């Protein structure tokens, strides 16, 4: 099969004529499907000598046209097949509506086939697009074709809109207008998902290889403990340069649990050597701190010298701006001097503020540290002193109570022999009770002092908490203002939606009540769009489906004339009751 142009027409019913023309041009006779018409072709036997064999499908050289850009319109021509003829559509008509392409699509839907079309005719028409894997033909005038490759689907879509005529018959059953569109198939989706998973695996493998390549090399493994390694490690620990690496080895040995009674002395000596480095580290730290302080002092002195020079320059400009010298300068010179003076003053003020800020920060840090340390130490010392006194008083009170209990027991067991002994016992008991009362009073006073101290601490903490609560309340108020604004916006939108739904329901109910046999969703939308052009059929259908007690959808017709109609059923419940 081939396309027929205005310059040359050649029917493909006689393939020998096509093979002869190709042989005369010195080209292997190949059909548009890629099959060689003459198996034993010799390019040296061509009638036109001096012409090398040419690939007919090569753009610009063979008979196949070069690829056309998307901007240039494609001119469709008549296609002659063995048993049918395809006539192109009118180029002035708009392109047919097509659905969105499914992922990995290899299947197309072909509608508008002639009633007398056979599977062989479908294979003959669409076989030129590529290898066909399967054809599923329906009893009606459509079928589904599954190709072996995805790119052949684009070629098949180019045949959409062509008018098919079987043979030379003019019967209506032998003609039809093709409509080719994408079709969804589970096999296509499965193959596409498998391919995507394979690509994902390859991408993960590539990333893993890249990460392994960029990963830094792992540190060398640490050797296990031995006498030889222990002696070498002891020498390394004493060396200041090798100390960090040797300490890491010692830590690993300790964590592995390689310490036992035999080598405990060796480990002790290594730990002792590690401890000897503390004094060196502290000295290095103090040296670095000293260097940092010296650098700060040097920076301050340099800043002060720079500021003094700035002051001198400013004084020079002030002296030049006086009338004695100012009158001798020209107008342009005065303008430059004034501009320079302003620039120097700005730079001087900036450096002065920077230096004052550094000094102020240091003073504040020192004062804050002193205040914090003094207040913390005073409060802690007072609380500890009160606790110690309280504990001592409790111990004394317990001791006095035990003595009183013992005296009572002895008095109960041994009755008084004489009145003198009774008098002495009563005196001792009265003395002990007085001492006990005095200790209790002292304990109460100490408790009151402790409560006062705790109240002062709680008051300071309450003040801090109140400040935090005020900040939190301010943030919450700001958040509440934002939420109220958003709620007002949502309420206005919801009220507008509710009013629209109620008005639409009333209009649709009146419209369907006038049409007792129901109406399609397009008919209802066409009526509503006269009132509001922004109404969408999907929104109207969703509204009707949410009110099943008022509106009911019914299917009318048979076969191709099957139609969905909506009816008003709001009064049926009242009639039944």
């Amino acid at each position: 099969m081939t396309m027929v142009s205005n310059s040359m027409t050649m029917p493909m019913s006689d393939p020998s004529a096509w093979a002869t023309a190709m042989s005369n041009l010195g080209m292997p006779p190949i059909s548009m499907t890629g099959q060689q018409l003459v198996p034993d072709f010799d390019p040296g036997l061509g009638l036109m000598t001096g012409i090398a064999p040419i690939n007919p499908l090569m753009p610009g050289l063979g008979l196949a046209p070069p690829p056309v850009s998307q901007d240039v319109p494609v001119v469709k021509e008549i296609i002659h097949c063995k048993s049918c003829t395809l006539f192109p559509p009118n180029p002035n008509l708009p392109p047919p509506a097509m659905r969105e392409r499914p992922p990995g699509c290899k299947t197309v839907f072909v509608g508008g086939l002639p009633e007398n079309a056979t599977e062989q005719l479908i294979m003959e028409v669409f076989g030129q697009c590529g290898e066909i894997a399967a054809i599923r033909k329906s009893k009606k005038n459509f079928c589904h074709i599954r190709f072996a490759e995805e790119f052949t689907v684009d070629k098949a879509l180019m045949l959409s809109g062509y008018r098919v005529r079987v043979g030379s018959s003019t019967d209506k059953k032998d003609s039809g207008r093709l409509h080719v569109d994408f079709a969804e198939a589970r096999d296509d989706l499965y193959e596409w998902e498998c391919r995507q998973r394979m690509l994902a695996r390859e991408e993960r493998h590539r990333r893993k290889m890249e990460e392994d390549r960029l990963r830094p090399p792992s540190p060398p493994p640490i050797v296990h403990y031995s006498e030889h390694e222990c002696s070498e490690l002891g020498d390394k620990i004493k060396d200041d340069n090798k100390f960090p690496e040797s300490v890491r080895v010692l830590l690993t040995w300790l964590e592995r649990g390689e310490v036992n009674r035999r080598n405990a002395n060796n480990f002790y000596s290594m730990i002792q050597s590690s401890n000897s480095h503390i004094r060196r580290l502290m000295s290095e730290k103090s040296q670095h701190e000293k260097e940092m302080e010296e650098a700060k002092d040097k920076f301050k002195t340099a800043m002060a010298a720079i500021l003094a020079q700035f002051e001198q320059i400013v004084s020079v400009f002030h002296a030049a701006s006086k009338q004695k010298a100012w009158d001798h300068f020209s107008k342009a010179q005065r303008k430059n001097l004034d501009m320079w003076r302003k620039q120097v003053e700005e730079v001087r003020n900036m450096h002065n503020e920077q230096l004052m800020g550094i000094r102020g920060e240091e003073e504040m840090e020192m004062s804050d540290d002193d205040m914090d340390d003094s207040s913390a130490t005073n409060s802690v010392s007072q609380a500890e002193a009160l606790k110690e006194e309280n504990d001592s008083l409790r111990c004394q009170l317990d001791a006095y109570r035990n003595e009183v209990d013992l005296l009572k027991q002895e008095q109960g067991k041994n009755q008084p022999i004489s009145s003198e002994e009774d008098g002495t016992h009563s005196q001792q008991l009265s003395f002990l009770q007085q001492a006990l009362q005095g200790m209790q009073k002292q304990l109460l006073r100490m408790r009151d002092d402790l409560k006062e101290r705790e109240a002062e601490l709680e008051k300071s903490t309450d003040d801090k908490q109140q400040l935090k609560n005020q900040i939190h309340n301010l943030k919450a108020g700001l958040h509440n203002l934002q939420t109220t604004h958003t709620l007002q916006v949502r309420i206005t939108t919801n009220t507008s939606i509710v009013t629209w739904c109620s008005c639409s329901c009333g209009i649709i109910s009146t419209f369907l009540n006038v049409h007792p046999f129901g109406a399609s969703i397009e008919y209802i939308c066409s009526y509503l769009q006269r009132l509001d052009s922004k109404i969408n059929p999907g929104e109207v259908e969703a509204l009707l489906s949410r009110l099943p007690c008022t509106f009911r959808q019914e299917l009318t017709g048979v076969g191709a004339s099957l139609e969905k109609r909506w009816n008003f059923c709001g009064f049926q419940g009242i009639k039944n009751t």
Side-chain angles (χ1 to χ4, degrees):
M1 63 191 76
T2 180
M3 293 185 180
V4 178
S5 62
N6 297 328
S7 60
M8 179 177 67
T9 58
M10 184 178 295
M12 280 305 296
S13 59
D14 187 7
S16 61
W18 174 257
T20 305
M22 297 283 283
S23 179
N24 292 336
L25 292 174
M27 296 181 294
I30 300 174
S31 66
M32 294 300 290
T33 59
Q35 299 177 356
Q36 191 170 352
L37 298 177
V38 180
D40 299 331
F41 172 74
D42 188 1
L45 298 178
L47 298 178
M48 299 179 65
T49 59
I51 301 177
I54 301 174
N55 185 4
L57 299 179
M58 184 180 295
L61 296 177
L63 295 179
V68 183
S69 64
Q70 298 293 333
D71 299 334
V72 180
V74 179
V75 179
K76 297 183 179 181
E77 299 178 350
I78 302 174
I79 301 175
H80 292 278
C81 302
K82 291 183 179 180
S83 58
C84 65
T85 307
L86 302 177
F87 297 94
N90 187 359
N92 297 326
L93 293 176
M98 298 178 63
R99 65 188 302 177
E100 186 178 355
R101 182 168 189 156
C105 180
K106 295 182 182 179
T107 306
V108 295
F109 167 81
V110 181
L113 293 172
E115 294 184 6
N116 296 333
T118 60
E119 189 172 338
Q120 183 179 1
L121 184 139
I122 297 170
M123 181 72 75
E124 182 181 351
V125 172
F126 289 92
Q128 60 181 332
C129 301
E131 183 182 354
I132 295 176
I135 298 175
R136 188 168 64 252
K137 187 176 181 302
S138 176
K139 294 181 181 180
K140 297 182 181 181
N141 303 333
F142 69 91
C143 69
H144 289 84
I145 303 174
R146 189 169 189 267
F147 293 95
E149 300 293 338
E150 288 187 26
F151 66 91
T152 54
V153 173
D154 298 326
K155 296 181 180 180
L157 292 174
M158 297 295 293
L159 298 176
S160 182
Y162 273 79
R163 188 165 55 85
V164 185
R165 187 175 68 188
V166 180
S168 59
S169 175
T170 59
D171 191 4
K172 187 177 181 181
K173 294 184 179 181
D174 294 332
S175 63
R177 187 175 296 278
L178 297 179
H179 173 67
V180 186
D181 198 356
F182 297 109
E184 293 183 355
R186 287 178 292 180
D187 296 338
D188 298 344
L189 183 60
Y190 176 73
E191 291 180 1
W192 180 78
E193 289 176 351
C194 292
R195 188 163 62 254
Q196 294 297 319
R197 285 194 291 269
M198 182 184 68
L199 293 175
R201 286 196 297 270
E202 292 177 356
E203 181 67 18
R204 287 196 299 271
H205 179 69
R206 187 187 63 78
R207 289 182 180 178
K208 186 178 180 182
M209 295 294 290
E210 188 70 16
E211 290 176 359
D212 293 340
R213 187 177 66 83
L214 299 176
R215 185 182 291 113
S218 58
I222 297 175
V223 298
H224 288 274
Y225 174 82
S226 64
E227 295 293 335
H228 175 69
E229 296 291 339
C230 179
S231 62
E232 289 186 353
L233 186 63
D235 297 334
K236 289 181 181 178
I237 289 176
K238 295 176 182 178
D239 191 357
D240 296 342
N241 297 325
K242 299 180 180 179
F243 176 70
E245 182 181 357
S246 58
V247 164
R248 185 168 60 86
V249 177
L250 177 61
L251 177 62
T252 305
W253 286 355
L254 292 172
E255 289 177 350
R256 287 178 181 172
E258 296 185 0
V259 185
N260 50 35
R261 290 186 178 180
R262 294 180 180 179
N263 56 18
N265 295 327
N266 296 332
F267 275 96
Y268 179 77
S269 62
M270 288 188 288
I271 294 170
Q272 188 177 5
S273 300
S274 301
N275 187 36
S276 64
H277 285 273
I278 294 176
R279 186 177 299 173
R280 176 182 63 83
L281 296 174
M282 293 298 293
S283 63
E284 289 181 359
K285 180 186 175 185
S286 61
Q287 184 178 359
H288 288 303
E289 290 178 350
K290 186 177 179 181
E291 291 176 357
M292 186 176 67
E293 294 294 334
E294 290 177 355
K296 285 183 178 180
D297 295 337
K298 189 175 180 181
F299 175 72
K300 289 179 185 177
T301 55
M303 287 288 293
I306 291 169
L307 191 60
Q309 294 177 12
F310 275 123
E311 292 289 345
Q312 293 175 358
I313 295 171
V314 171
S315 62
V316 168
F317 279 108
H318 281 297
S321 63
K322 292 182 180 180
Q323 190 174 2
K324 292 180 180 181
W326 191 258
D327 295 337
H328 299 285
F329 294 114
S330 64
K331 189 174 182 180
Q333 291 174 349
R334 292 176 184 176
K335 186 177 181 181
N336 291 332
L337 289 173
D338 193 9
M339 181 178 65
W340 293 342
R341 181 179 59 79
K342 290 180 180 178
Q343 291 178 357
V344 171
E345 287 179 353
E346 289 179 359
V347 176
R348 188 270 313 269
N349 295 331
M350 181 177 68
H351 283 274
N352 194 6
E353 288 176 359
Q354 185 177 2
L355 184 61
M356 294 300 293
I358 293 171
R359 291 177 179 175
E361 288 178 359
E362 290 181 355
E363 292 177 357
M364 288 178 65
E365 288 178 359
M366 294 176 63
S367 63
D368 290 340
D369 294 338
D370 295 339
M371 289 176 65
D372 293 338
D373 295 339
S374 62
S375 61
T377 52
N378 291 331
S379 61
V380 171
S381 60
Q382 290 177 2
E384 289 180 354
L386 290 173
K387 286 181 180 179
E388 289 178 357
E389 291 180 1
N390 193 6
D391 294 335
S392 62
L393 291 173
R394 283 181 181 176
C395 293
Q396 292 178 8
L397 182 62
D398 293 335
Y400 284 128
R401 284 178 179 175
N402 293 330
E403 290 180 1
V404 170
D405 293 336
L406 290 174
L407 289 173
K408 287 181 179 180
Q409 290 178 2
E410 290 177 357
Q411 187 178 4
K413 290 180 180 178
N414 302 320
Q415 293 181 357
I417 301 172
S418 62
S419 60
E420 295 180 357
E421 292 180 357
D422 294 337
T424 55
H425 284 297
S426 61
Q427 289 178 359
Q428 290 178 357
L429 184 61
S430 62
F431 289 152
L432 289 174
Q433 288 178 354
Q434 291 176 1
L436 182 60
Q437 290 176 359
M439 295 298 292
Q440 287 178 353
K441 291 179 181 179
Q442 189 177 0
L443 181 60
L444 291 173
R445 286 196 299 271
M446 296 297 293
R447 285 181 179 178
D448 294 336
D449 294 337
L450 182 60
K451 287 181 180 179
E452 290 178 357
R453 298 289 184 181
E454 290 178 352
E456 291 178 356
L457 291 175
E458 289 178 357
K459 187 177 180 181
S460 61
T461 54
D462 291 338
D463 294 337
K464 293 182 180 179
Q465 188 66 29
Q466 287 177 0
L467 292 174
K468 292 181 180 179
N469 292 332
Q470 289 177 1
I471 296 171
H472 181 70
N473 292 331
L474 290 174
K475 292 182 179 179
L478 181 61
H479 182 67
N480 291 330
L481 288 174
Q482 294 176 353
T483 52
T484 52
H485 180 67
T486 53
L487 285 173
Q488 289 177 359
V489 172
R490 290 181 181 175
I491 289 168
T492 53
T493 53
N494 290 333
T495 52
S496 61
I497 292 170
V498 169
T499 53
W500 177 82
C501 290
S502 60
C503 294
S504 301
C505 288
I507 295 170
I508 294 169
S509 301
T510 307
F511 180 77
L512 293 178
N513 194 18
V514 176
H515 297 77
F517 295 102
S520 62
I521 192 68
E522 290 81 6
Y523 187 23
I524 296 171
C525 288
S526 64
Y527 177 73
L528 292 175
Q529 285 176 354
R530 295 179 181 177
L531 303 175
D532 188 0
S533 58
K534 297 180 181 179
I535 291 177
N536 190 6
E539 296 177 354
V540 176
E541 189 172 2
L543 178 62
L544 295 177
S545 59
R546 285 199 297 268
L547 301 172
C549 296
T550 309
F551 304 102
R552 183 177 64 251
Q553 188 179 14
E554 294 180 354
L555 298 175
T556 60
V558 180
S561 62
L562 192 65
E563 185 180 6
K564 296 180 180 180
R565 289 177 174 270
W566 288 89
N567 293 330
F568 179 71
C569 61
F571 296 145
Q572 290 185 2
I574 299 173
K575 292 178 182 180
N576 294 332
T577 54

